[in-house]
Amino acid sequence: MLLIHCPYCAMERPEIEFRHAGEAHVARAPDPSQLDDETWAEFLYFRSNPKGVHAERWRHVHGCGRFFNALRDTVSDRLLVTYKAGEVRPELPPQEHSR
Amino acid sequence: MASVDAAVSAGGGRDAGALVRAAAPAARFVFRGRDAAVATVASALGTPLSLEPCRASQSVGRIALWLGPDEWLLIAPRSEGGLVASVLAKALGGVPHALVDVSDRNSALIVSGPAVEDVLSAGCPLDLDQAAFPVGMCTRTLFAKAEIVLWRTAPAEFRVEVARSFLPYVEGVLAVAVRDGG
Ligand SMILES: [Zn+2]
């Protein structure tokens, strides 16, 4: 089982307490009615799906209940860093994302 | 993990290393709010609310368990429920907040004894060693398939808050864990 650091509880907690909640930093347009269909579809359905470091939302659903963000390496399944919702995506030291 | 060598005898009984009993009837409230509301509740309740994650505070029988960065479970003796509700509602009058009476949503069990860590570990994925889960720590977590709020009240005693409908299930899993020695 993975141990995931919850930035609100400020401790590592077992994976079973968490839920994955999709890609992070996907911003909704302030006025969707101004978008053409292609841009709206892009927002709704298309995600980056990288091989390597991926920014994603997680929720500590059976703990503090809060959503937060994580950088996870999709190759190794290692959670590299977690940070609170609303914070900017942190820069990783070069050695931490070798892929 | 604590040693249970001498504490648990097969088949449980008098020598069992852990004991499960019902907690005294309680009034409960889930409070959510920001700084101003937190200060208001603390002074109205007579108990400071922990701002440190996963920590409990209590005073004169009134308990505040940190559940999230803006969320606490408040517990008081059942007989004080009406009083606490009206005092809090009155004090919070002009302050944005959420206060929900959940007295009858939960029941609580007190699990105690030398094998308490092993018995709870039968269903709880957290490290319950005192170094990782000291006295005064509280958190929402899982016990088998039920969500609970777990609070370590003493080195060998925990309070388990559980949704009333899950109580027979949690009691059942605990009974098996006690019988099997954790
Ligand atoms: Zn948390």
Side-chain angles (χ1 to χ4, degrees):
Chain A
M1 188 182 288
L2 288 174
L3 290 175
I4 300 175
H5 184 268
C6 173
Y8 293 98
C9 292
M11 66 181 81
E12 288 193 324
R13 302 284 291 242
E15 180 186 8
I16 197 172
E17 292 183 345
F18 295 84
R19 289 288 183 280
H20 183 269
E23 184 167 358
H25 308 299
V26 178
R28 183 188 172 92
D31 186 358
S33 68
Q34 298 300 308
L35 302 183
D36 60 33
D37 288 351
E38 196 174 326
T39 314
W40 183 236
E42 184 79 23
F43 163 76
L44 285 182
Y45 303 117
F46 289 85
R47 296 295 178 261
S48 59
N49 193 29
K51 180 179 182 180
V53 179
H54 187 221
E56 47 197 25
R57 302 167 76 222
W58 284 75
R59 186 180 180 209
H60 194 187
V61 59
H62 297 301
C64 62
R66 298 308 176 275
F67 284 89
F68 59 93
N69 294 327
L71 296 185
R72 184 175 63 91
D73 189 322
T74 60
V75 177
S76 64
D77 200 27
R78 281 191 58 199
L79 281 144
L80 304 171
V81 63
T82 58
Y83 50 106
K84 291 180 178 176
E87 292 179 354
V88 297
R89 175 178 171 153
E91 293 293 329
L92 289 175
Q95 69 274 14
E96 285 200 46
H97 58 111
S98 49
R99 291 178 189 271
Chain B
M1 287 297 144
S3 164
V4 293
D5 295 338
V8 177
S9 62
R14 231 160 40 83
D15 297 330
L19 186 71
V20 181
R21 64 179 201 274
R28 302 173 175 85
F29 303 87
V30 169
F31 161 71
R32 295 194 62 175
R34 295 176 196 266
D35 295 356
V38 171
T40 304
V41 166
S43 66
L45 197 65
T47 303
L49 272 56
S50 172
L51 300 179
E52 185 186 349
C54 302
R55 285 296 179 277
S57 54
Q58 60 177 322
S59 155
V60 294
R62 294 174 178 183
I63 299 155
L65 305 181
W66 187 99
L67 293 185
D70 61 359
E71 182 180 5
W72 288 261
L73 177 63
L74 311 176
I75 304 174
R78 187 72 163 198
S79 57
E80 291 184 24
L83 174 70
V84 170
S86 63
V87 165
L88 289 180
K90 196 172 171 190
L92 286 166
V95 191
H97 71 280
L99 183 69
V100 183
D101 187 333
V102 294
S103 300
D104 297 321
R105 185 189 69 181
N106 287 9
S107 284
L109 297 170
I110 308 295
V111 187
S112 61
V116 67
E117 291 173 8
D118 304 82
V119 164
L120 287 170
S121 292
C124 179
L126 295 176
D127 183 351
L128 298 179
D129 188 277
Q130 278 199 72
F133 203 115
V135 173
M137 180 167 164
C138 61
T139 183
R140 200 157 29 205
T141 183
L142 291 168
F143 184 78
K145 294 178 182 176
E147 187 173 278
I148 61 168
V149 173
L150 188 63
W151 171 29
R152 187 176 216 138
T153 49
E157 184 181 273
F158 288 79
R159 181 186 179 102
V160 176
E161 287 272 333
V162 57
R164 202 173 46 165
S165 55
F166 277 90
L167 183 64
Y169 168 76
V170 168
E171 283 180 317
V173 177
L174 281 171
V176 171
V178 169
R179 188 193 66 201
D180 294 349

